[in-house]
Amino acid sequence: MASSLAEFENDLQKLIAKFENDKAYYLSKDYSEAQARVDFIDPFFRALGWDVENQAGLPHHEREVLVEKGDIDTDGRPDYNFRISGRTRFFVEAKTPSERLDDTRHIIQAKTYAWNTKSVFFVILTDFEELRFYDASIKPDERRPDEGLLLKLRYTEYLKNVEKLWEFSRERVAAGSLEAMLPRDRRTQRLRIPVDQAFLDEMTGWRAALARNIYKNNRNLTAKQLNEVVQRLLDRIVFIRIAEDRNIIRKYQLREAKEDWEARGGKFHIFEWLNDLFHRVNEDFNGEIFKPHLSEEIKIDSEVLAGIIERLYPPKSPYRFDVIGVELLGSIYERYLGSTIRPKATRVFVEEKPEVRKAGGVYYTPQYIVDYIVKNTVGKIIEGKTPKQIEKIRILDPACGSGSFLIGAFQCLIDYHVKWYLAHPEQEVRHAHPSLDFMREVQPNPDGSHRLSVYRKAKILRNNLFGVDIDPQAVEITMMSLYLKALEGERSQLPPKQHLLPELKYNIICGNSLIGPDIYDQGTLFGDAERDRINAFDWYAAGSAGVSPASGKGRRDGGATPPSFGDIMHDGGFDCVVGNPPYVRIQHMKEWAPFEVEHYKERYKSASSGNYDIYVVFVEKGLSVLRKGGKLGYILPHKFFNAKYGKPLRGLIAEGTHLSEVVHFGDQQVFDGATNYTCLLFLQKDAKDKFEFWKVDDLEAWRAEGKATAGAIPASRATPSEWNFVLGSGSELLEKLSQFPVKLADLAERIAQGIRTSANEVYVLDLVSGGNRIITAHSEVLRRDVKLERRVVSLFLQGREIRRYAVVPSGKVVRAYP
């Protein structure tokens, strides 16, 4: 490997000479892509300092360059994946020199690899005879294939541009050379539409089109039925499209239906053909979303379905469903769940739900937060256990949304099982599942990595993962995401008619985690609509919402029905509770759920003081369903540490000394596009005499290297009083102050928060000059000085002006009308 620009130039000169000496052959159809990679592309990047052949002997997940084999179908993945410290920096798509690199198909193929990951922004398309470097953060468009082209060179130009090519060396890429090439102009910024936003917009459009057409043809549907039908159709279509791209089922089946319909001049209904396909998929996989459903009985125009199908396949579609991960799909669906379909007279509207509108939108939990919480709950619970022992572990998300935490827990369990079986090959016995004869628990992948068998993943789904959500669409999306996760990594068609996926209707349940069925015994009369909205959930019922599950005898997937929530609760509760509970103030909830607000105050200690936030109730509920030795991990606002409404929850946690760990993010912002001051709260059912406290002052440093101020704090410091956890010398001072018998509250008659304008830029002005009757002040909003009567303003102080021995003038006034 070259270690300097001069060495690279020397190696490059030899490669160019080699190509020139037999150019006719290299440009012929007889010369394959695989051979071009061996002869030219591998040496080219080796000369740039990349360990292409893994001479360092690193394990697969730590390799610097992941290389797809040239003798297998790699249509689903790029030929080269270049990484530094485990993070992909750019992809390379290779072609044989006889292929034209300006072919739109090749360009879109290369760009979509990166764009669909949302994390890789660069791709090189090359056959050595030519090299093209693209900004792949721009949404691929077949009408403008070369949008984002940053560098284009033919081999004859390489030596004149050797310094530009050196920017792709390992040394320079590690220093940020690729990021430095990104254009910063406004037009390019507008074109950078990330895949999740683009697909969310697409899904929103499809949902509206389906809703309008289905309502037009089926006026008897209620609003609830219309939402269910549209959701089920979209979920089935997306599931099939993903399964096609991953070679799990035969490709192009949806497209064939559209093309056949067009060829016959619209003489048959696409929907009838789709229903037959849905039935076949149900026979093969048994997934919940393909069970018989009202969505199969409606009327829908073929033109609407044809338009959706067209946008799911190239060249009209920029999406690679073999690249879009289940986690990314979950982030799309989380925001999608923030709106609902409402039919009104002759029209249909898709509008934000009231709770989402009041909360300012839906914000998906970042994957690194999910991973941290799962690692410190699920990871610790399963540590050292065998697969047989893990079958009894129960993991819950009581407000599962699109399923991000359950997917994270599923991945944690999958990874653990693979490592355990590889470390205990004598236990990796062949199982006798009828559809998977002689297959082992761990399967090898062509690239040298390993994956867990579908059979074992189905057992994990059935035995370990449980969720509740009040939104039926969220429940369905969670099921679909878990099914897709179970099939992830499969690259060949699975055996048909084997019902490989387990039923999840007893694992993922639609209901209100916080309200039990006893609410209906209080003498209040509830109409059907009110009952549907409250959607009470019975934690101790024998089955789903009180319905006993079947015995599971003779199931085709080889396993029994999972234990009901009632079974789990009577057995002591859940081993892990994880999630991101809703953040909704009761002032907002009173607008659409006034009865629930009062019910929570009566039933939960954490809701007993004034204007609480709903997340405190979810903490109490999560703690109550934990078994002895169980662990809870949530991300939530840290406002309850100091707010008055947090005192009951602080007292509840302090009483049982449940606090296990706190990661305090201070003013660091975790959620994209939202201002929320959050923490990670870890509780343990068993009493703890101390807890770990982490103060994060730099979020990026914490993510990359785990940098934070850390230390152990005695459990006695977590009292019902305000939590002000300080480490080091500051903690000693705080402890000393706490010992003083007289507090400021004992001396002051009344302590209250100062004025809040809710719009300082409007009401707070900079004082320019004063007077007895008229003053001059500068307004930031008006961007000019204004004259104001002295009687309508007051001098304005913020906390920073109040010093130890003096009050410093702020130079500001506030409009304060008498």
Side-chain angles (χ1 to χ4, degrees):
M1 293 186 289
S3 58
S4 67
L5 174 60
E7 290 178 355
F8 168 63
E9 185 174 8
N10 183 56
D11 291 343
L12 183 60
Q13 197 164 14
K14 292 176 182 177
L15 285 173
I16 293 169
K18 177 180 177 180
F19 192 84
E20 280 284 7
N21 288 339
D22 207 356
K23 181 178 175 181
Y25 171 63
Y26 295 138
L27 293 175
S28 72
K29 295 290 184 182
D30 294 330
Y31 190 63
S32 69
E33 176 192 317
Q35 198 59 47
R37 288 167 59 173
V38 172
D39 291 342
F40 294 101
I41 299 173
D42 286 2
F44 177 81
F45 285 101
R46 195 184 309 123
L48 285 167
W50 294 97
D51 188 1
V52 178
E53 286 87 6
N54 191 29
Q55 294 178 2
L58 298 174
H60 175 78
H61 67 282
E62 295 179 8
R63 287 184 63 147
E64 199 167 85
V65 184
L66 299 181
V67 184
E68 291 296 322
K69 294 181 179 179
D71 55 349
I72 62 172
D73 176 18
T74 60
D75 185 55
R77 287 166 288 188
D79 295 313
Y80 299 84
N81 179 337
F82 288 81
R83 311 192 303 176
I84 294 177
S85 301
R87 176 190 164 202
T88 299
R89 307 307 296 269
F90 65 98
F91 291 140
V92 170
E93 177 61 18
K95 297 296 176 186
T96 181
S98 60
E99 291 280 346
R100 291 180 57 90
L101 294 194
D102 59 2
D103 187 318
T104 299
R105 292 178 301 118
H106 298 331
I107 297 171
I108 297 298
Q109 177 192 16
K111 291 168 73 174
T112 54
Y113 284 138
W115 183 71
N116 278 272
T117 68
K118 202 192 172 186
S119 59
V120 182
F121 305 130
F122 309 101
V123 66
I124 291 173
L125 177 63
T126 186
D127 56 4
F128 184 76
E129 197 256 350
E130 184 181 349
L131 181 144
R132 290 170 171 246
F133 175 57
Y134 288 94
D135 170 5
S137 65
I138 296 174
K139 182 180 178 182
D141 188 338
E142 62 167 346
R143 296 166 300 178
R144 296 185 293 273
D146 272 339
E147 192 82 69
L149 180 62
L150 302 180
L151 182 66
K152 182 176 76 170
L153 296 172
R154 292 181 60 79
Y155 78 100
T156 52
E157 302 170 293
Y158 285 172
L159 291 177
K160 292 180 182 178
N161 294 275
V162 69
E163 291 185 354
K164 290 182 180 179
L165 292 174
W166 184 245
E167 294 298 293
F168 301 111
S169 68
R170 191 195 183 287
E171 172 189 317
R172 294 294 301 138
V173 170
S177 63
L178 303 186
E179 289 77 5
M181 298 186 204
L182 282 176
R184 308 293 178 185
D185 59 281
R186 289 186 178 181
R187 180 180 177 278
T188 304
Q189 295 287 357
R190 287 197 304 271
L191 293 172
R192 290 195 177 109
I193 304 171
V195 61
D196 54 344
Q197 184 59 54
F199 194 58
L200 174 64
D201 293 343
E202 202 94 59
M203 289 271 290
T204 302
W206 296 340
R207 180 197 224 175
L210 283 171
R212 286 192 294 267
N213 192 261
I214 292 172
Y215 191 62
K216 181 192 77 174
N217 291 310
N218 306 267
R219 288 303 178 91
N220 58 319
L221 294 178
T222 65
K224 181 181 178 182
Q225 290 173 326
L226 183 60
N227 273 279
E228 287 179 0
V229 166
V230 170
Q231 188 64 53
R232 185 60 59 94
L233 277 175
L234 274 177
D235 286 347
R236 288 178 171 187
I237 289 170
V238 170
F239 181 97
I240 287 171
R241 189 65 192 87
I242 291 173
E244 285 182 350
D245 263 12
R246 295 181 180 179
N247 292 318
I248 295 167
I249 62 175
R250 185 173 61 82
K251 288 190 173 186
Y252 311 122
Q253 296 188 68
L254 296 172
R255 190 172 74 182
E256 287 171 1
K258 170 187 172 288
E259 291 172 346
D260 197 14
W261 171 74
E262 289 174 334
R264 297 189 193 183
K267 298 297 183 184
F268 80 97
H269 292 293
I270 293 179
F271 189 56
E272 292 179 6
W273 190 98
L274 285 181
N275 269 337
D276 289 340
L277 175 60
F278 296 157
H279 296 155
R280 292 197 301 273
V281 172
N282 183 49
E283 290 177 357
D284 290 345
F285 295 105
N286 191 49
E288 208 69 51
I289 62 173
F290 289 98
K291 290 286 187 286
H293 188 262
L294 175 63
S295 61
E296 299 170 11
E297 302 170 13
I298 51 104
K299 294 180 181 178
I300 182 170
D301 295 331
S302 294
E303 289 80 3
V304 175
L305 292 170
I308 293 172
I309 291 170
E310 183 178 49
R311 288 293 301 166
L312 286 168
Y313 291 91
K316 297 295 184 183
S317 171
Y319 309 109
R320 294 193 66 96
F321 295 102
D322 53 345
V323 174
I324 295 176
V326 177
E327 290 81 4
L328 185 57
L329 193 66
S331 76
I332 296 167
Y333 267 123
E334 190 79 10
R335 286 167 285 172
Y336 171 91
L337 286 170
S339 58
T340 188
I341 300 166
R342 298 198 189 280
K344 296 180 181 178
T346 59
R347 299 183 64 187
V348 170
F349 298 87
V350 178
E351 58 189 35
E352 272 193 326
K353 295 173 182 175
E355 60 269 31
V356 172
R357 185 171 62 253
K358 289 295 182 182
V362 175
Y363 303 99
Y364 187 73
T365 311
Q367 190 59 43
Y368 68 91
I369 295 292
V370 173
D371 292 342
Y372 188 92
I373 290 176
V374 167
K375 176 184 175 183
N376 287 280
T377 51
V378 179
K380 290 184 177 179
I381 286 288
I382 65 175
E383 190 175 358
K385 290 183 170 61
T386 67
K388 191 66 178 176
Q389 292 171 321
I390 289 173
E391 288 180 7
K392 297 180 180 180
I393 300 295
R394 315 298 182 207
I395 301 158
L396 169 75
D397 184 343
C400 61
S402 65
S404 60
F405 279 88
L406 292 177
I407 293 166
F410 193 15
Q411 185 64 61
C412 177
L413 290 166
I414 291 170
D415 293 342
Y416 183 89
H417 279 76
V418 170
K419 289 179 181 177
W420 192 92
Y421 281 121
L422 291 177
H424 301 83
E426 73 284 356
Q427 300 291 327
E428 219 262 295
V429 296
R430 300 176 186 274
H431 51 69
H433 188 263
S435 68
L436 302 172
D437 289 337
F438 307 115
M439 286 184 68
R440 303 184 73 86
E441 298 284 11
V442 174
Q443 303 296 315
N445 289 319
D447 61 8
S449 62
H450 293 83
R451 70 182 187 278
L452 200 62
S453 70
V454 174
Y455 169 75
R456 175 55 64 176
K457 285 189 278 190
K459 289 191 74 172
I460 291 172
L461 278 183
R462 186 168 53 247
N463 292 326
N464 303 125
L465 302 175
F466 299 84
V468 184
D469 201 282
I470 197 168
D471 187 343
Q473 292 173 287
V475 168
E476 184 168 309
I477 288 167
T478 295
M479 289 182 184
M480 185 182 76
S481 296
L482 290 171
Y483 286 143
L484 289 171
K485 193 69 181 176
L487 297 174
E488 197 171 60
E490 301 298 325
R491 294 285 169 176
S492 59
Q493 291 187 31
L494 296 170
K497 300 184 186 299
Q498 296 301 327
H499 291 196
L500 296 173
L501 300 175
E503 288 184 334
L504 289 179
K505 62 184 177 183
Y506 302 118
N507 294 63
I508 315 299
I509 299 177
C510 184
N512 189 326
S513 295
L514 304 178
I515 296 180
D518 60 317
I519 193 173
Y520 302 130
D521 302 329
Q522 297 180 2
T524 305
L525 294 177
F526 295 101
D528 290 342
E530 194 74 0
R531 279 178 170 265
D532 284 345
R533 186 182 59 75
I534 293 173
N535 202 6
F537 176 69
D538 189 351
W539 287 91
Y540 288 88
S544 172
V547 180
S548 296
S551 67
K553 209 170 189 180
R555 282 170 55 125
R556 296 290 297 279
D557 63 8
T561 302
S564 70
F565 282 45
D567 294 336
I568 295 170
M569 292 306 298
H570 286 299
D571 193 37
F574 291 87
D575 299 273
C576 293
V577 176
V578 293
N580 178 10
Y583 313 158
V584 185
R585 298 284 288 169
I586 60 163
Q587 296 96 315
H588 297 151
M589 283 185 64
K590 286 177 179 177
E591 296 182 20
W592 73 88
F595 188 86
E596 287 94 310
V597 169
E598 295 307 314
H599 181 79
Y600 298 149
K601 285 185 178 180
E602 294 171 4
R603 298 303 174 92
Y604 292 94
K605 293 180 181 178
S606 58
S608 61
S609 70
N611 295 322
Y612 61 90
D613 193 302
I614 195 69
Y615 70 80
V616 300
V617 187
F618 272 97
V619 175
E620 182 176 347
K621 171 55 73 174
L623 192 56
S624 73
V625 299
L626 272 183
R627 69 180 299 123
K628 185 176 175 59
K631 296 179 182 294
L632 177 148
Y634 282 163
I635 177 171
L636 38 69
H638 54 64
K639 187 174 181 179
F640 85 92
F641 283 23
N642 307 103
K644 181 180 178 182
Y645 72 74
K647 184 175 182 179
L649 179 59
R650 296 194 298 268
L652 185 69
I653 294 171
E655 183 182 355
T657 56
H658 297 297
L659 204 52
S660 172
E661 180 184 351
V662 173
V663 180
H664 196 294
F665 293 117
D667 60 359
Q668 299 291 297
Q669 295 302 307
V670 169
F671 295 98
D672 289 338
T675 301
N676 278 307
Y677 301 99
T678 55
C679 70
L680 305 185
L681 180 72
F682 294 91
L683 305 179
Q684 192 160 307
K685 190 71 169 184
D686 299 344
K688 298 267 293 181
D689 59 359
K690 62 182 178 180
F691 62 93
E692 296 295 320
F693 182 74
W694 303 74
K695 179 64 170 65
V696 178
D697 297 311
D698 185 333
L699 186 61
E700 291 306 313
W702 179 75
R703 288 184 61 185
E705 305 171 45
K707 284 187 177 179
T709 305
I713 295 178
S716 58
R717 288 271 302 279
T719 68
S721 299
E722 292 186 24
W723 288 356
N724 294 295
F725 303 133
V726 181
L727 299 170
S729 58
S731 64
E732 296 173 5
L733 176 60
L734 193 65
E735 183 66 24
K736 183 177 179 180
L737 290 172
S738 69
Q739 301 303 318
F740 275 74
V742 181
K743 307 291 194 298
L744 178 61
D746 302 319
L747 301 176
E749 180 179 340
R750 180 172 173 266
I751 297 177
Q753 184 175 5
I755 64 169
R756 288 186 298 171
T757 69
S758 298
N760 280 9
E761 68 277 8
V762 175
Y763 295 103
V764 179
L765 302 93
D766 293 314
L767 181 63
V768 176
S769 61
N772 292 329
R773 294 183 60 252
I774 302 294
I775 68 161
T776 303
H778 182 77
S779 168
E780 286 293 331
V781 173
L782 300 177
R783 296 184 179 179
R784 62 182 176 85
D785 292 347
V786 294
K787 301 286 186 181
L788 294 170
E789 291 185 46
R790 177 67 182 82
R791 66 185 181 87
V792 301
V793 299
S794 295
L795 295 176
F796 185 72
L797 291 177
Q798 295 171 279
R800 67 176 69 96
E801 283 90 33
I802 302 174
R803 307 292 174 82
R804 180 175 293 184
Y805 300 113
V807 175
V808 180
S810 69
K812 296 180 182 293
V813 293
V814 61
R815 294 169 61 189
Y817 295 98

